[in-house]
Amino acid sequence: MATAAYATPPISAFLTSQEGFRGSTRGFQWKKIERKCLRKAGPPKITAKFDLKPPPYPLDALEPDMSRNTMEYHWGKHHRAYVENLNKQIVGTELDGMTLEDIIRVTYNNGDLLPPFNNAAQAWNHDFFWESIKPGGGGEPSGELLELIIRDFGSFEQFAKEFKAAAATQFGSGWAWLVYKVNRLNVGNAVNPRPSEEDKKLVVVKSPNAVNPLVWDYYPLLTLDVWEHAYYLDFQNRRPDFISTFMEKLVSWESVSSRLEAAKIQAAERE
Amino acid sequence: MSRSAFCSSGSNLVPKTTEALNPLNRPKKHHYLNGRQRTNLYQKNHRASKVLAYYGLRSPPYKLDALEPYMSQRTLEMHWGEHHGGYIDALNKQLAKNDLLYGCTLEELIKVTYNNGNPLPEFNNAAQVWNHDFFWESMQPGGGSSPILGLLQQIEKDFGSFTNFREKFIDAALKLFGSGWVWLVLKREEKHLAIVKTSNAVNPLVWNDIPILNLDMWEHAYYLDYKNDKAKYANVFMNHLVSWNAAMARMARAQAFVNLGEPKIPVA
C-alpha cells in the first residue's frame, strides 16, 4: 500500500490563519516516515491514530426514536468504517499525528478535496452527531442559548422551522447545522477585515456529503445527519418525520449550550 | 398554456385545449393527440391529486416482487412507489407554477433545467424521474450473465475484457461517495464506451452522452436489503439483475447517432 504524497502547499499556509493549532508541541514532520525503518518481518504496523469513540449512552438508549438496530449499523458499521479507513489513509503521511480538525481543514484544500477528507470529516461529523443527541432529549434550550436564538431567528419556533427546512431540503446526502458564525463575510475562509459585535450570530446552514462548517471557519453547535443511512431503517423515506423526531425527542440542548460557551471563548481569544 | 419557449418539440405535444389536462376530466387510459400516443402522460390512478399531471409514473416492466430475492418487493414498493412517485409529484407541482417549461419531453427538460451546471429547481426532480425510469428498465428478472454480439465486442474493445469492465463498474459503485449513480455510457464525441459516476441527480444526458445502463447508488436503493454492504449490492446487480437485453437495445439505437467505426463490409 503506497503512502500518498500530497501535492499541496506546506501545511502551515493553511493553519496560520486558523484558531489555535492544538497538538503543536512536536512540530511538523515533513519527511515521510521511511517505511524501511518501520518495517519488521510481516506487514507494516498501523499506528491507529484515531479511535472509534462510542456514543455517550448505550446503543438502545434512544429507543424508540432511534432504534438500536440503526445505532448498530450507523455507529457500528458506517462510523467505524470511516475511522478505520481514515487511519489506513493517513499512516506514514504528514497527516499522521495531526488532530482530526486540522486534517479536515487541510484536506478540504479549498474545495478541491484530497482523498482523506471524506473519511476524516465523516469521522468528526459522526462524533459530533452522537454528542448532539441524548436519551430524553428534545424540548427547548434555555439561558443564553435561547436568548441568542431569539435574537438571531426571532423565536425558537422560527429557528426550528428553518433548521427543519434546511434538513429537509438538503438534496442527496448531507448534514444540517446550527453554527455560531463570527465572520461577517460569507466567503469560504476569508478573514473579516472589520470584525464587530454584529458579526457574531447563530445561523442555520446545510452541507453536502461530508462537508462541515469547520471548513468555512464557523463554530458548529448542533448537527443532524440526513444521509439516508441515518433514518432509512426507522423511517424509510419519511425524512420529515425523522427531522421532527430529532427536534422533539433527541436533541441535546446541554451539548449545544456548552459548545456555544466554548465557541465564544475561542472567538474572543482570536481577536 | 403557452407553448414552451425552450423545447423544440413542444409544437407536437401541446394539447388542443386545456380541458384535456383538467383533473376532473382525467381520462383513465392513454389518449391520442395529433395521432401520437402520449405514453408518458397517463394519470396515476392510485393517488387522488388536484395537481395537473405533466408527467406520469411509469411502472417497471415487471411485477414488484419479480426481482426477489435480489431486490425485495418491499424495496421496490418504497423505491418506486414512494421515492420515484415522490419525484413525479414534486416535479408536477413545480411545473404547475412554471409555464415556460411546459411541453418538453423529459430529456429536453433535463437538459434545459441543467442550465450548464447551474441547475434550476426542477432539475433534481426531472433528472431523478428519468434516472429511475432508466434504472427499472436496466434490470430484469433473471438478469445478469453477460452481453453478446456487438455490445460484447464493444465492451471488449473499450475495456479489454468483460471481466475487466465488470470489475471497473463495481469499483466505481464502491468509490462513489454520497448519493449518486454509476453509468455505462457511450460517449458521443470520443465514440467509445465508458463508466462514469455522477452525484445526486446528474446524468450523462447533460453532457450529451448516451446512457446504456445505470445503477442507483443512493442509499435508499439498497439499504433495506443490504444495509451498508454496497459491495454485495453491486455484485448482485451484476450477477442477477442487470438486463443486457435492455443494454443491447439501447446500444443498437445509439449507433444510429454515433458512428462506431468502419462498417463491416463482407469480403466477396
Side-chain angles (χ1 to χ4, degrees):
Chain A
M1 176 181 71
T3 53
Y6 300 114
T8 57
I11 289 178
S12 56
F14 288 108
L15 293 179
T16 44
S17 60
Q18 305 290 342
E19 57 175 327
F21 175 52
R22 293 171 283 279
S24 63
T25 50
R26 84 181 91 171
F28 295 112
Q29 303 291 342
W30 293 113
K31 248 181 2 193
K32 278 193 299 217
I33 299 168
E34 292 297 326
R35 288 176 78 206
K36 44 183 188 248
C37 298
L38 281 183
R39 184 173 295 167
K40 305 172 175 134
K45 207 168 80 160
I46 295 183
T47 50
K49 162 72 178 149
F50 296 107
D51 298 319
L52 175 66
K53 259 176 62 186
Y57 36 76
L59 294 186
D60 58 1
L62 301 175
E63 295 263 16
D65 306 305
M66 190 177 279
S67 66
R68 183 207 173 115
N69 200 20
T70 293
M71 292 298 290
E72 280 176 356
Y73 277 96
H74 197 177
W75 174 77
K77 307 260 168 154
H78 290 271
H79 190 180
R80 188 185 303 274
Y82 292 129
V83 174
E84 286 175 357
N85 290 333
L86 174 65
N87 286 334
K88 279 187 215 152
Q89 272 175 317
I90 62 174
V91 68
T93 70
E94 60 252 27
L95 299 173
D96 200 350
M98 289 169 65
T99 67
L100 191 53
E101 299 198 1
D102 289 329
I103 294 180
I104 291 171
R105 291 195 187 97
V106 166
T107 53
Y108 182 67
N109 198 21
N110 286 320
D112 187 15
L113 309 180
L114 301 177
F117 175 81
N118 285 334
N119 288 321
Q122 284 291 79
W124 189 93
N125 295 342
H126 283 88
D127 278 336
F128 196 81
F129 180 50
W130 305 134
E131 287 161 13
S132 298
I133 55 180
K134 66 168 193 187
E140 294 196 8
S142 57
E144 195 187 356
L145 175 58
L146 183 60
E147 278 171 29
L148 276 186
I149 286 181
I150 293 176
R151 183 195 77 175
D152 291 329
F153 293 97
S155 66
F156 177 72
E157 284 70 30
Q158 187 54 32
F159 153 73
K161 199 165 143 210
E162 221 178 285
F163 188 84
K164 286 191 198 179
T169 55
Q170 174 52 40
F171 188 72
S173 307
W175 303 75
W177 305 83
L178 172 65
V179 303
Y180 181 59
K181 175 170 165 317
V182 185
N183 276 332
R184 184 160 46 94
L185 301 176
N186 284 323
V187 180
N189 293 324
V191 175
N192 188 344
R194 289 201 307 276
S196 81
E197 269 308 301
E198 285 168 7
D199 302 337
K200 299 196 178 73
K201 51 192 294 208
L202 297 177
V203 290
V204 164
V205 294
K206 59 189 183 193
S207 62
N209 290 359
V211 178
N212 65 36
L214 295 177
V215 308
W216 303 318
D217 202 24
Y218 292 171
Y219 297 93
L221 302 179
L222 175 67
T223 190
L224 172 56
D225 189 350
V226 288
W227 281 64
E228 286 175 325
H229 63 234
Y231 58 91
Y232 217 76
L233 296 177
D234 295 337
F235 293 91
Q236 291 81 59
N237 72 312
R238 300 183 319 262
R239 196 196 279 192
D241 288 347
F242 170 61
I243 297 169
S244 298
T245 303
F246 168 84
M247 289 300 289
E248 289 159 21
K249 306 270 177 46
L250 290 171
V251 64
S252 164
W253 290 114
E254 289 80 20
S255 298
V256 183
S257 291
S258 56
R259 288 161 176 167
L260 177 62
E261 289 310 309
K264 291 171 112 179
I265 293 172
Q266 283 173 355
E269 277 171 10
R270 280 174 75 172
E271 283 173 8
Chain B
M1 304 262 186
S2 55
R3 181 179 316 165
S4 160
F6 294 106
C7 299
S8 52
S9 67
S11 52
N12 284 339
L13 296 178
V14 171
K16 293 194 162 74
T17 65
T18 53
E19 281 288 294
L21 288 179
N22 185 320
L24 296 177
N25 295 345
R26 197 187 312 172
K28 295 272 186 205
K29 23 180 213 214
H30 304 166
H31 53 104
Y32 288 81
L33 276 169
N34 298 337
R36 286 175 56 188
Q37 184 171 7
R38 299 171 71 182
T39 54
N40 64 348
L41 258 174
Y42 62 84
Q43 305 287 347
K44 233 179 1 179
N45 292 334
H46 66 276
R47 296 268 180 104
S49 155
K50 292 216 173 68
V51 175
L52 299 183
Y54 299 90
Y55 295 98
L57 179 63
R58 235 191 212 150
S59 316
Y62 36 76
K63 291 217 179 71
L64 295 186
D65 60 357
L67 299 179
E68 294 265 14
Y70 308 109
M71 192 176 274
S72 63
Q73 176 176 358
R74 178 127 195 275
T75 294
L76 262 295
E77 282 170 359
M78 292 295 322
H79 195 178
W80 173 71
E82 302 293 324
H83 289 271
H84 191 180
Y87 290 127
I88 294 263
D89 288 342
L91 178 62
N92 284 333
K93 268 201 205 120
Q94 282 174 319
L95 291 179
K97 296 183 207 143
N98 189 348
D99 263 15
L100 289 177
L101 295 173
Y102 176 68
C104 300
T105 65
L106 195 50
E107 298 199 5
E108 285 174 338
L109 185 62
I110 291 172
K111 289 183 186 161
V112 164
T113 52
Y114 183 65
N115 197 21
N116 289 315
N118 200 0
L120 306 177
E122 294 82 356
F123 174 75
N124 282 338
N125 290 320
Q128 283 292 80
V129 168
W130 193 94
N131 294 341
H132 283 89
D133 280 337
F134 196 82
F135 182 50
W136 305 132
E137 288 163 9
S138 296
M139 299 191 289
Q140 66 174 79
S145 77
S146 64
I148 55 173
L149 303 176
L151 179 54
L152 180 60
Q153 284 175 9
Q154 191 66 35
I155 286 180
E156 284 171 349
K157 183 165 164 226
D158 294 328
F159 295 100
S161 66
F162 178 70
T163 316
N164 193 31
F165 154 75
R166 190 184 176 286
E167 213 179 279
K168 289 234 156 48
F169 191 88
I170 293 182
D171 194 56
L174 298 182
K175 291 240 169 72
L176 174 65
F177 187 72
S179 305
W181 301 76
V182 184
W183 304 82
L184 172 63
V185 288
L186 179 61
K187 289 199 157 279
R188 224 185 267 258
E189 296 296 313
E190 296 89 327
K191 300 194 187 359
H192 60 70
L193 292 173
I195 295 172
V196 302
K197 310 193 286 262
T198 59
S199 276
N200 292 355
V202 180
N203 65 37
L205 295 177
V206 308
W207 302 305
N208 205 26
D209 289 330
I210 304 178
I212 306 290
L213 276 182
N214 74 351
L215 172 57
D216 191 348
M217 290 307 293
W218 281 62
E219 286 174 326
H220 65 236
Y222 59 87
Y223 216 77
L224 293 178
D225 294 335
Y226 299 97
K227 312 256 186 3
N228 69 316
D229 199 346
K230 291 186 347 183
K232 189 148 174 243
Y233 167 62
N235 275 291
V236 162
F237 173 81
M238 269 298 164
N239 294 339
H240 299 289
L241 288 172
V242 64
S243 169
W244 287 112
N245 291 330
M248 289 193 287
R250 290 161 178 167
M251 190 67 181
R253 183 175 181 275
Q255 288 178 284
F257 299 93
V258 180
N259 181 350
L260 284 177
E262 303 300 325
K264 289 190 179 61
I265 302 175
V267 175

